[in-house]
Amino acid sequence: MDGQRAGVGGHEPGANGTAAIRPAIQASWQRCREVYGVAPDTPPPAPVADPGDAAPRTVVSAARSLAADLTRTDGVVAVAAGDGRVVAVFGSGSAVALAGAHQLAPGHDWSENSRGTNALGTALLDGQAQVTGPEHWRGDLADWSGAGVAVADPDRSRPCAALAFLVHRRPLTALAITRLHRCAQELGHGLRGRRDDVLTELAGSLQPQDADDDGPRAVIDRRGRLVAANEVGRAVLGSRARAGALRLAACAEDGCPITVQPIEHDGQLIGTLVTTGADSPPATEAAQAPVFRLAGIHGGHILLMAPTEIRVAQAEGKTVWLLTDRGRLRALNHTLSRLATRLAPHGFLRVHRHYVVNLHRVREIAPTFHGGFALVLDGPDRETVAVSRRHLAEVRGALGL
């Protein structure tokens, strides 16, 4: 069977001898059609030299060991970061070369919205995935079979990485799948244990660098939560963790002088040490000040942005991400509802329970099934945001449709 025909034909239930399509595969295909707008023959994007996310080193090391254990299968073990970009591929020389010929190589984007249904990208969304032959959305992957599993990150609601075992024109073995899942579980337990070490190190970073360095100091973790503060810092920021983090965000957004120092552990960014100026205004006054800029965290820095720089705010669990002209940033302790209220005067609108969109940045309307539509934004990645049925009428009115 021709690989291209297998992939395209497999997109219709019952085609090519497929009697039934599994619900997880059907759901993935629907996302590809209606949300991402990825056609089965869409050329894959070019690789990037510097991926936005990086998988923890422990995950990469575990993948290398797993590949050494599974070399007799002549398959490959691939690692993708949380954004779906491949960071490493392990296996025999011939297997790695064959995978590279199909763009399964470091730097390539294998997220589902880029490559369609596949073991790596779909596992990042569903927690685990098994995709064989014509179940792939793209026809050029129909000769591959793969099993993928996400690696949970205790500090974030989304996975920090995904592992996948893939074979070419061979069936997946139950033993290989079992070992893959066991490896991911062990990694998850290890990361949770690492979190305790991280919190200890974060608290230790509050010690002054010298005798004169006794100003207010606080530590926030990767999600922007206030972990600890020294005595002076608590006097400025307050004693309650959540309230303190919100006050810190207000200080940043209001232009108070702050310095930021990234804190690393085992080669990974684990948090940020923030020192506020001694002459910072009282926290209660800062918290009540009007917000014209938003604070986001990236690479150990707190970036202040005008609303015009933000295309969309996206909620993932309890974390809110900002897709901006300066990259994907973590909002500093804002809920999506709170952001929607603050940004409404600047042309932002809630279009889905997970999304608030800057309508000034909408460039296209993409119709979907059942009379719905999605918004295509003007960013370099042309992000596509589906509008939920609940918000259709309000969005139509705001856009004059």
Side-chain angles (χ1 to χ4, degrees):
M1 181 184 298
D2 178 78
Q4 183 70 19
R5 287 184 57 200
V8 177
H11 297 161
E12 295 298 330
N16 295 324
T18 306
I21 306 299
R22 293 183 289 123
I25 299 299
Q26 280 188 329
S28 176
W29 288 353
Q30 185 176 11
R31 290 193 293 264
C32 292
R33 281 194 305 260
E34 300 184 14
V35 179
Y36 312 136
V38 177
D41 57 353
T42 300
V48 295
D50 184 20
D53 288 356
R57 292 187 300 185
T58 52
V59 177
V60 178
S61 297
R64 182 184 290 108
S65 300
L66 183 64
D69 189 36
L70 298 176
T71 50
R72 63 182 178 276
T73 63
D74 202 29
V76 295
V77 176
V79 183
D83 61 0
R85 298 185 187 274
V86 177
V87 297
V89 179
F90 301 106
S92 66
S94 59
V96 171
L98 180 61
H102 289 82
Q103 292 83 41
L104 183 61
H108 284 273
D109 185 357
W110 276 68
S111 59
E112 195 182 74
N113 64 333
S114 175
R115 297 287 297 187
T117 307
N118 72 87
L120 277 171
T122 304
L124 283 171
L125 293 177
D126 294 345
Q128 60 181 351
Q130 187 170 328
V131 185
T132 60
E135 288 182 331
H136 287 92
W137 179 249
R138 294 181 54 85
D140 59 349
L141 300 178
D143 287 334
W144 289 86
S145 293
V149 61
V151 179
D153 186 336
D155 291 328
R156 296 190 290 186
S157 58
R158 66 186 182 103
C160 63
L163 291 173
F165 176 66
L166 303 104
V167 291
H168 187 255
R169 294 182 176 177
R170 298 186 64 175
L172 288 165
T173 64
L175 178 61
I177 297 173
T178 299
R179 290 183 177 176
L180 177 71
H181 282 260
R182 185 179 302 155
C183 180
Q185 289 175 350
E186 292 173 353
L187 285 168
H189 290 311
L191 289 172
R192 282 191 290 274
R194 174 178 174 270
R195 178 178 57 182
D196 296 335
D197 297 336
V198 165
L199 293 177
T200 300
E201 185 164 342
L202 285 173
S205 67
L206 287 174
Q207 298 300 320
Q209 302 298 312
D210 55 62
D212 296 329
D213 189 9
D214 58 354
R217 300 163 66 84
V219 168
I220 57 177
D221 65 12
R222 292 190 304 169
R223 297 182 63 180
R225 297 170 301 186
L226 181 67
V227 174
N230 65 1
E231 184 176 354
V232 181
R234 289 201 179 277
V236 173
L237 301 175
S239 59
R240 301 181 64 180
R242 179 172 175 78
L246 291 175
R247 289 166 182 161
L248 178 62
C251 282
E253 291 168 350
D254 199 42
C256 296
I258 61 174
T259 58
V260 178
Q261 176 184 343
I263 304 170
E264 294 189 353
H265 178 86
D266 192 27
Q268 298 287 320
L269 178 70
I270 60 176
T272 305
L273 173 65
V274 180
T275 304
T276 62
D279 57 348
S280 297
T284 53
E285 294 179 8
Q288 296 172 358
V291 176
F292 298 102
R293 292 176 293 173
L294 287 178
I297 302 174
H298 180 71
H301 298 273
I302 295 180
L303 305 182
L304 302 179
M305 295 158 295
T308 54
E309 298 180 78
I310 303 169
R311 297 189 295 277
V312 60
Q314 176 186 4
E316 290 185 358
K318 295 182 180 180
T319 304
V320 176
W321 295 90
L322 305 173
L323 301 186
T324 78
D325 294 338
R326 287 188 264 177
R328 190 171 188 259
L329 311 177
R330 184 181 302 110
L332 194 58
N333 271 278
H334 283 294
T335 65
L336 195 64
S337 296
R338 188 166 180 257
L339 274 178
T341 300
R342 290 192 169 194
L343 290 172
H346 302 281
F348 285 73
L349 186 65
R350 188 78 170 258
V351 303
H352 189 281
R353 70 190 189 96
H354 294 303
Y355 297 99
V356 172
V357 170
N358 184 349
L359 297 182
H360 297 296
R361 305 298 296 268
V362 175
R363 289 297 174 265
E364 296 180 22
I365 306 296
T368 60
F369 289 94
H370 309 299
F373 58 86
L375 306 177
V376 182
L377 306 179
D378 65 356
D381 296 328
R382 294 178 60 82
E383 299 95 344
T384 301
V385 179
V387 179
S388 67
R389 293 183 180 180
R390 175 183 177 185
H391 295 279
L392 277 176
E394 185 179 5
V395 176
R396 287 181 186 274
L399 295 175
L401 301 179

